[in-house]
Amino acid sequence: MRLLTHNLLACHAKTCATTSNNFPLILKDVQLEQIEAEENEQFIRGFLPKLEWNALVSTARALGDTSLPDKGPDPSEPMLDEGLLRTLHHVLLEIHIVEGQMVCPNCSHVYQIRSGIPNMLLAEHEIGK
Ligand SMILES: [Zn+2]
């Protein structure tokens, strides 16, 4: 699972549906793998408006990657700094979480990551309407 995916995941247990404290999920006991990916500036730029910058920075730092600046790029800037682009590419697309857990900061529900795939399923009683 790439950090790009992690940046899109929030806890969806019924007790968390109405809070804003269900994101980002806290990574625990993770096993990482670096997998090289082809650079695609357009893709990164297209994703920027959806990106939760602070969540990405804190998650990357928790994993030991301190390459991202505190403040994200201005989405209205037509050009993305070459260095930042490369850094973002690496953090979003090349760091893979192979095994580990994601813990909801609100309800403490644990989502397992196995063989790179997050299991976002909840038990029946946790879904609700
Ligand atoms: Zn939760």
Side-chain angles (χ1 to χ4, degrees):
M1 185 189 83
R2 299 177 299 191
L3 290 192
L4 176 126
T5 307
H6 174 265
N7 201 257
L8 298 168
L9 297 176
C11 179
H12 55 108
K14 64 178 170 188
T15 44
C16 291
T18 54
T19 68
S20 55
N21 191 31
N22 60 349
F23 175 89
L25 299 172
I26 300 156
L27 292 168
K28 242 184 88 182
D29 301 331
V30 293
Q31 192 184 312
L32 303 177
E33 201 177 318
Q34 316 270 343
I35 303 173
E36 225 172 282
E38 205 174 315
E39 266 189 51
N40 185 339
E41 177 170 4
Q42 237 175 342
F43 177 80
I44 298 273
R45 290 185 59 88
F47 186 67
L48 274 182
K50 282 176 277 211
L51 187 65
E52 292 285 346
W53 185 263
N54 292 338
L56 180 68
V57 171
S58 61
T59 301
R61 287 182 185 172
L63 299 180
D65 189 303
T66 56
S67 60
L68 292 170
D70 287 337
K71 201 181 166 306
D74 181 350
S76 63
E77 281 288 322
M79 287 293 288
L80 204 56
D81 176 80
E82 189 72 17
L84 183 58
L85 182 69
R86 201 158 301 139
T87 303
L88 263 175
H89 168 79
H90 175 71
V91 172
L92 284 173
L93 303 172
E94 295 187 326
I95 300 177
H96 289 250
I97 300 155
V98 185
E99 304 285 334
Q101 302 182 327
M102 293 184 290
V103 184
C104 172
N106 190 57
C107 73
S108 302
H109 184 86
V110 176
Y111 295 94
Q112 301 286 345
I113 305 165
R114 294 257 161 79
S115 305
I117 300 176
N119 182 353
M120 298 306 288
L121 292 178
L122 293 166
E124 196 81 25
H125 72 276
E126 294 166 315
I127 301 166
K129 289 225 185 290

